[in-house]
Amino acid sequence: MLNMIKMDLYRMFRTKSMYVVWIVLAVSVLFTTFMCKTDYDLLSKEDTVRQEQFAEPTSENINVGMMVTLPTEPGEKVTVYDIFFANSQGKFYALFLVIFAVMFSTADIGSGYIKNIGGQVQKRGTLIFSRSIALAVFTVLTMAGAFLLQGAANYIVFKELTWGSSKAILSYFLTELALHYALVLICMAIAIILKNNVISMVIAICLTMNIMSIVYGLINSAVRKMGIQNFQIYKYTITGKLSLLSMNPSGNECLAAFGVAIVFAVIMIAASSAVFQKRDI
């Protein structure tokens, strides 16, 4: 198992697409920071408009698409945490994570290398586990790097550097890290099961764009017709938790999010391992 993990980590760090994703992410972080400054300067002159634009996320106001809304109040300093929160809530970082997850998960399958390594292990399902470990390392490095890059971008754009509440940052970052990793595993499972990069990539991107909110709305309506009121399936999904997690999450919010992330992570690894074990490679 340890050798398989080392192999996947080596393969990941030798993959050019990972560095391309990181470079594009770095440029995008700088660009979104410039855009946030433009919006902040504009809305600071129109406080009433600012109050109408930003609202705490709820299961009722999540729209299709990617929306990055700065939570900073007019007159306050824009902290690194403010923009990191806005990007995380809008699934900006998730978009880069899932794109690489799909490419990495199927790279050895598409190249045919899996035929060599697959015949050398007794249980091919363990290859999925080692792949998930490599993606965990990628997720941690990407999220941590994005936060540090955001600090550099804030200093360049706003000419000052304010991090924000360290307690709120820690609890929010760790919770979002778990949720983003679970989303990465979902996209990995989709890519492995479907064995089609194009379809898998489209599904992964649709997940980050809240396209599933249409399906969730239909499910909510069906459940209400069964007599169960106030049911919101969005609260029990990864994409829902990513959007609904507040900027200063309570302990219960974090535990609920971690619970959902763990359940989805276990199911995705188990499902993709079972399919890969039985599949003829």
Side-chain angles (χ1 to χ4, degrees):
M1 174 58 72
L2 184 59
N3 288 333
M4 284 188 286
I5 294 174
K6 289 181 179 179
M7 177 194 69
D8 277 322
L9 286 173
Y10 177 82
R11 184 166 63 89
M12 184 182 74
F13 283 108
R14 297 284 291 183
T15 302
K16 293 180 181 179
S17 58
M18 183 181 74
Y19 299 100
V20 172
V21 168
W22 281 350
I23 291 172
V24 175
L25 174 60
V27 174
S28 300
V29 165
L30 185 59
F31 176 75
T32 56
T33 305
F34 273 111
M35 297 302 296
C36 285
K37 185 179 188 303
T38 301
D39 291 342
Y40 177 75
D41 291 341
L42 177 63
L43 294 172
S44 293
K45 301 175 182 178
E46 304 176 19
D47 291 359
T48 55
V49 176
R50 177 68 181 83
Q51 296 299 327
E52 292 175 1
Q53 180 173 351
F54 179 74
E56 282 292 328
T58 67
S59 56
E60 301 295 338
N61 64 9
I62 296 176
N63 300 316
V64 174
M66 182 178 290
M67 180 179 295
V68 177
T69 305
L70 195 65
T72 313
E73 295 293 336
E76 295 182 351
K77 291 184 177 180
V78 180
T79 67
V80 176
Y81 181 38
D82 287 343
I83 303 182
F84 181 82
F85 167 79
N87 286 336
S88 296
Q89 187 189 73
K91 303 182 186 65
F92 174 74
Y93 305 125
L95 178 62
F96 294 93
L97 290 171
V98 300
I99 288 174
F100 178 76
V102 171
M103 291 189 295
F104 177 73
S105 299
T106 58
D108 54 354
I109 298 175
S111 65
Y113 178 73
I114 192 64
K115 297 178 182 179
N116 296 329
I117 189 64
Q120 300 180 30
V121 295
Q122 185 176 5
K123 294 183 179 180
R124 283 188 275 117
T126 55
L127 290 170
I128 303 302
F129 181 76
S130 67
R131 195 163 304 180
S132 67
I133 297 298
L135 287 174
V137 173
F138 172 75
T139 304
V140 172
L141 291 177
T142 303
M143 293 293 287
F147 187 79
L148 295 177
L149 281 171
Q150 189 58 66
N154 270 43
Y155 184 77
I156 293 172
V157 176
F158 292 96
K159 310 302 180 184
E160 59 182 1
L161 183 60
T162 306
W163 293 100
S165 170
S166 57
K167 182 179 179 181
I169 290 173
L170 183 61
S171 58
Y172 184 83
F173 180 84
L174 293 177
T175 306
E176 284 290 311
L177 185 62
L179 291 171
H180 278 79
Y181 179 54
L183 183 60
V184 164
L185 292 180
I186 291 173
C187 295
M188 179 195 74
I190 292 172
I192 290 172
I193 293 172
L194 296 182
K195 291 198 306 181
N196 188 302
N197 266 16
V198 176
I199 297 176
S200 301
M201 193 73 72
V202 170
I203 294 175
I205 293 174
C206 285
L207 287 174
T208 62
M209 296 293 177
N210 294 325
I211 300 298
M212 286 299 293
S213 61
I214 299 173
V215 178
Y216 296 153
L218 295 175
I219 295 175
N220 290 337
S221 299
V223 171
R224 291 192 188 103
K225 290 180 181 179
M226 296 170 59
I228 303 177
Q229 301 299 322
N230 300 322
F231 177 79
Q232 295 289 342
I233 193 174
Y234 221 70
K235 298 178 181 179
Y236 310 102
T237 65
I238 296 299
T239 52
K241 286 296 184 184
L242 283 170
S243 298
L244 297 174
L245 190 66
S246 62
M247 194 171 182
N248 294 289
S250 64
N252 289 335
E253 281 185 279
C254 293
L255 287 175
F258 270 106
V260 172
I262 291 171
V263 169
F264 272 91
V266 171
I267 292 174
M268 292 301 110
I269 293 176
S272 52
S273 297
V275 170
F276 195 69
Q277 178 68 33
K278 295 180 180 179
R279 176 177 290 161
D280 182 12
I281 59 173

